[in-house]
Amino acid sequence: MSMRVTVLGGAAAWPNAGQGCSAYLVQSGAQSILIDCGSGAVQELRKHVDYTAIDAILISHFHSDHVLDLVAYRYGLLYGVRQKSRQIPVWLPPGGLERMRMLGDAFDGQGERYDTFWDAAFDLREYDPESPLELGSITMTFAPTQHFIECYAMRLEHSTGRVVAYSADTGAIEGLVELFTGADLGIIEATLEAHGETPLEWRGHLTPEDAGRLAALARVDRLVLTHLWQERSEDAVVAGARTEFDRDIRIATPGLILRV
């Protein structure tokens, strides 16, 4: 096994009772990478790792359920009892630096300088989704998803060849099959019960059946279904995915650990 993946949150849009939104901790040896940092996720992060020791954070897109706990994280790094020794690199999608400046603006006039709001905690950078990103023993590659705003799925390939693929938010699977091909673990959203009459080109989320179909087409070994409302039956979600995918299927729950 080369990577350890811990689910920190898998709720859709806002936190479920006892569960924050999208966030996944990927560790390899002493290396720790946080994928997304949705609202309510930091409390689970603190159960599993020294919050000052994260090596990098990657953000798929700027909906609050994937990015908002960067604000809470920033306050912890600045004012918590543990003293940080460095800025944590935060890799953002194109245009992310301006989005983060706008978010920092919200705290202007409250004793925080908006123009330097993030500086002491994070080293903000933008990734190029058309180029691989090398993070220690892990190579990140990206693919655009079909969502309501610009969003990128991610493939994490360890130097040993082991692969984790993450869909982020998407309404179509066709553009993601190559990114997911042969992944040892696929983390795929399954937000909707059904699409109803919504045309394919207008969809921004998947059903469990869609998630299972992507996993099957890409020959994924194990599937984790995520971005779920607590009001939905987990058994029904798994059953929907299983109509398309007959291998191991799990639900993203806080503290779920998967070794890859």
Side-chain angles (χ1 to χ4, degrees), residues 19-135:
Q19 181 184 39
C21 295
S22 295
Y24 309 90
L25 177 65
V26 180
Q27 296 172 290
S28 176
Q31 183 180 17
S32 295
I33 298 172
L34 179 60
I35 306 297
D36 278 342
C37 193
S39 42
V42 166
Q43 61 181 337
E44 186 69 27
L45 172 74
R46 298 188 65 187
K47 297 178 184 178
H48 300 280
V49 69
D50 177 354
Y51 66 93
T52 67
I54 295 293
D55 295 292
I57 302 170
L58 284 97
I59 300 298
S60 64
H61 67 295
F62 270 88
H63 278 155
S64 67
D65 55 333
H66 293 256
V67 73
L68 194 58
D69 249 29
L70 285 178
V71 176
Y73 202 165
R74 178 262 186 196
Y75 277 102
L77 289 169
L78 264 64
Y79 304 118
V81 296
R82 295 292 306 275
Q83 294 297 308
K84 63 174 182 53
S85 59
R86 57 177 176 77
Q87 295 170 297
I88 296 176
V90 178
W91 290 94
L92 308 163
L97 293 175
E98 176 61 15
R99 289 286 179 184
M100 291 292 280
R101 187 197 66 77
M102 293 167 63
L103 184 55
D105 283 355
F107 299 92
D108 188 28
Q110 302 182 77
E112 307 278 1
R113 284 177 55 90
Y114 77 88
D115 55 336
T116 58
F117 180 76
W118 303 104
D119 291 359
F122 298 132
D123 176 11
L124 303 180
R125 313 172 183 185
E126 293 182 4
Y127 54 79
D128 176 358
E130 296 186 359
S131 300
L133 176 62
E134 304 286 345
L135 296 174

Side-chain angles (χ1 to χ4, degrees), residues 146-147 166-171 187-192 204-208 210-212 223-228:
Q146 179 176 296
H147 196 44
Y166 168 52
S167 72
D169 289 2
T170 186
I187 303 172
I188 304 177
E189 71 122 293
T191 312
L192 304 178
H205 290 292
L206 301 179
T207 65
D210 294 328
L223 171 61
V224 173
L225 299 168
T226 191
H227 211 263
L228 301 172

Side-chain angles (χ1 to χ4, degrees), residues 224-246:
V224 173
L225 299 168
T226 191
H227 211 263
L228 301 172
W229 305 92
Q230 72 179 62
E231 290 79 8
R232 294 177 63 196
S233 161
E234 292 185 359
D235 288 344
V237 170
V238 171
R242 197 169 296 286
T243 63
E244 300 285 344
F245 182 73
D246 61 2

Side-chain angles (χ1 to χ4, degrees), residues 5-8 25 44 48 224 250-258:
V5 180
T6 304
V7 176
L8 306 179
L25 177 65
E44 186 69 27
H48 300 280
V224 173
R250 305 288 296 274
I251 294 289
T253 55
L256 174 65
I257 295 174
L258 302 119

